[in-house]
């Protein structure tokens, strides 16, 4: 079975981190989220992927190539302009001729596919939407269903008082190829605002099933950080690189810790990281590969992407540093999100 991964959004709410990076390539626990997702789906038996991309699509192509290294086949459907969530599907039509899966690639979840596929087969609809339940549905696609699971209404980002339920679109669909007939070609089309409402109106059979387990959209800095803290707290079974050297402390290869360094769990430190004397790392810190942390640095509730440098005595809290960020000595970074462009990612 093929999975189409929608990775062409602009990631506006995560800027500047996404200025030179598609959001699904943002690292979660030091690996691009897209890599976690592809690995998880391969374990669920999906070995063919189509990545639909536009903004910074080169970053994805250079990283994954044809997917061989991950034991999967990856094809690309690049858009001449952002074609929207359904336009991107239509644009990949020549690569999709059987029942296929679609993922919003910016959602952090590790869904079980078998129950969803079973549900889809039993209900025989043209589309099955995986659902999840949230307290405030207003920033998502909200559904109203009947007892059989059929979706009667799909409302994208309703005002809080207009939301018919707290069941939302989890950003994972099983679609029959006939869906293509309902999507106009060569223009921007939103699956949420146009295609689902039309399929429902024409009674084509749109069903929804709640997919249990961890689910989070990583689209804002606060949510992006929270996904990390949840991974460190093991609220979901994300694979972590490195060894757990003490409860809640993971370190990679070639890590050098100076004297008197304190690692306060939970902490994840990547490969080839150097930490200067008396630095305090954690709680809640994720340090990417090849980072350099100076002496007496304090770093908590913060995420540093690969090759960042924090010079002596600086303090970081609630901050995110993009690839290769250099923080001068003796500074305080609170809620800072810094990105220095032109990084080239390599697997
Ligand atoms: N290829 C391509 N082209 N991908 C796109 C495009 C496009 O023009 N526009 C958006 N995407 C991708 C994004 O990269 C993301 O992975 C996914 O489609 C969803 O787009 P977002 O912009 O992140 O939408 P959202 O988060 O506001 O809402 C969507 O996700 C919610 C779940 O988090 C909707 O699908 C909601 O209904 C849903 O509840
Ligand atoms: Mg999103």
């Amino acid at each position: 079975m093929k999975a189409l991964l929608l990775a062409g959004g602009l990631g506006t709410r995560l800027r500047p981190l996404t200025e030179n990076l598609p959001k699904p390539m943002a690292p979660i626990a030091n690996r691009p989220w897209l890599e976690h997702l592809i690995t998880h789906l391969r374990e669920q038996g999906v070995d063919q992927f189509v990545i639909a991309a536009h903004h910074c699509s080169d970053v994805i192509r250079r990283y994954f190539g044809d997917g061989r290294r991950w034991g999967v086949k990856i094809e690309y459907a690049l858009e001449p302009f952002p074609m929207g969530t359904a336009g991107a599907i239509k644009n990949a039509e020549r690569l999709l001729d059987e029942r296929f899966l679609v993922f919003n690639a910016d959602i952090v979840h590790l869904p079980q596919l078998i129950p969803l596929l079973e549900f889809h087969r039993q209900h025989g609809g043209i589309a099955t939407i995986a659902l999840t339940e949230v307290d405030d549905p207003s920033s998502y696609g909200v559904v109203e269903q009947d007892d059989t699971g059929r979706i009667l209404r799909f409302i994208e980002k309703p005002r809080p008082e207009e939301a018919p339920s707290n069941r939302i679109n989890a950003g994972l669909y099983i679609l029959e190829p006939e869906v293509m007939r309902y999507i106009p070609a060569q223009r921007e089309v939103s699956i949420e605002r146009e295609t689902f409402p039309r399929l429902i109106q024409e009674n084509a059979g749109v069903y929804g099933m709640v997919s249990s387990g961890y689910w989070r959209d990583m689209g804002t800095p606060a949510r992006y950080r929270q996904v990390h803290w949840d991974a460190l707290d093991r609220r979901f079974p994300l694979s972590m690189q490195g060894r757990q050297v003490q409860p809640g402390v993971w370190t990679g290869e070639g890590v050098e810790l100076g004297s008197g360094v304190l690692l306060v769990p939970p902490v994840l430190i990547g490969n080839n990281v150097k930490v200067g004397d008396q630095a305090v790392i954690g709680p809640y810190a994720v340090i990417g590969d090849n980072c350099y942390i100076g002496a007496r640095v304090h770093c908590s509730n913060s995420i540093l992407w690969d090759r960042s440098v924090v010079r002596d005595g600086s303090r970081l809290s609630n901050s995110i540093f993009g690839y290769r960020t250099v923080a001068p000595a003796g500074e305080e970074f609170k809620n800072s999100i810094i990105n220095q462009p032109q990084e080239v990612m390599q697997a």
Side-chain angles (χ1 to χ4, degrees):
M1 198 172 197
K2 277 195 187 180
L4 175 72
L5 309 180
L6 296 175
L10 297 177
T12 331
R13 292 161 298 171
L14 261 192
R15 279 183 192 157
L17 296 167
T18 45
E19 241 150 37
N20 48 338
L21 194 74
K23 180 170 43 172
M25 288 300 281
I28 303 289
N30 291 341
R31 261 163 85 197
W33 166 248
L34 212 44
E35 185 174 357
H36 287 288
L37 181 62
I38 288 172
T39 309
H40 171 74
L41 295 178
R42 185 193 59 207
E43 284 161 11
Q44 304 262 308
V46 180
D47 60 359
Q48 294 190 51
F49 294 87
V50 179
I51 300 182
H54 169 73
H55 168 68
C56 301
S57 58
D58 276 5
V59 176
I60 303 179
R61 277 210 298 189
R62 273 200 306 265
Y63 192 88
F64 290 107
D66 63 6
R68 206 172 306 172
R69 221 180 118 175
W70 288 266
V72 299
K73 179 178 168 203
I74 301 180
E75 297 168 292
Y76 296 88
L78 304 182
E79 292 147 50
F81 55 92
M83 299 186 85
T85 43
I89 297 172
K90 185 71 176 177
N91 186 56
E93 185 167 11
R94 65 189 167 84
L95 302 172
L96 304 164
D97 47 11
E98 293 169 2
R99 179 177 298 164
F100 60 99
L101 300 161
V102 177
F103 285 83
N104 285 356
D106 66 335
I107 301 299
V108 177
H109 57 162
L110 299 169
Q112 295 301 313
L113 297 181
I114 304 270
L116 287 165
L117 288 165
E118 195 48 40
F119 176 97
H120 180 77
R121 248 189 305 272
Q122 278 169 4
H123 288 75
I126 197 170
T128 295
I129 304 177
L131 306 172
T132 190
E133 287 171 345
V134 294
D135 293 338
D136 175 10
S138 58
S139 51
Y140 302 105
V142 188
V143 303
E144 182 184 336
Q145 291 175 282
D146 71 12
D147 298 343
T148 68
R150 182 182 281 267
I151 294 178
L152 307 173
R153 281 199 297 159
F154 185 106
I155 311 169
E156 183 66 12
K157 302 191 175 67
R159 282 199 294 270
E161 66 277 12
E162 280 172 352
S165 75
N166 62 348
R167 283 195 172 182
I168 62 142
N169 169 15
L172 156 54
Y173 321 127
I174 303 168
L175 300 181
E176 295 298 323
E178 289 72 52
V179 161
M180 296 293 183
R181 291 211 299 265
Y182 296 79
I183 310 173
Q186 305 301 330
R187 71 162 169 90
E188 201 211 318
V189 189
S190 156
I191 199 165
E192 298 87 352
R193 294 182 193 276
E194 223 174 299
T195 314
F196 286 145
R198 179 166 167 207
L199 290 170
I200 292 164
Q201 195 190 8
E202 299 193 14
N203 234 337
V206 179
Y207 291 87
M209 180 190 171
V210 173
S211 163
S212 57
Y214 185 85
W215 184 93
R216 200 176 280 272
D217 174 316
M218 60 144 139
T220 65
R223 290 177 185 166
Y224 177 74
R225 277 197 302 259
Q226 191 58 48
V227 166
H228 279 85
W229 313 154
D230 292 342
L232 290 176
D233 285 336
R234 306 312 286 150
R235 286 174 197 260
F236 67 109
L238 190 79
S239 79
M240 304 279 257
Q241 279 173 322
R243 277 188 324 120
Q244 193 166 181
V245 291
Q246 68 181 75
V249 177
W250 291 264
T251 58
E253 308 280 314
V255 172
E256 289 175 30
L257 303 180
S259 70
V261 168
L262 214 56
L263 301 181
V264 187
V267 172
L268 168 64
I269 296 183
N271 297 322
N272 306 313
V273 171
K274 288 199 177 66
V275 184
D277 298 347
Q278 268 119 50
V280 181
I281 314 288
Y284 298 102
V286 173
I287 314 288
D289 293 346
N290 302 299
C291 285
Y292 175 84
I293 311 285
R296 300 176 312 282
V297 164
H298 283 220
C299 175
S300 64
N301 294 282
S302 295
I303 299 158
L304 309 188
W305 294 5
D306 298 353
R307 272 159 286 179
S308 290
V309 173
V310 182
R311 300 212 189 278
D312 296 354
S314 279
R315 288 172 170 264
L316 274 69
S317 59
N318 278 315
S319 294
I320 308 171
F321 285 5
Y323 294 113
R324 272 196 181 146
T325 299
V326 178
E331 299 267 329
E332 174 128 13
F333 297 87
K334 264 191 186 166
N335 306 313
S336 306
I337 300 178
I338 304 178
N339 187 33
Q340 290 171 349
Q342 85 259 325
E343 176 63 10
V344 176
M345 289 178 80
Q346 270 169 356

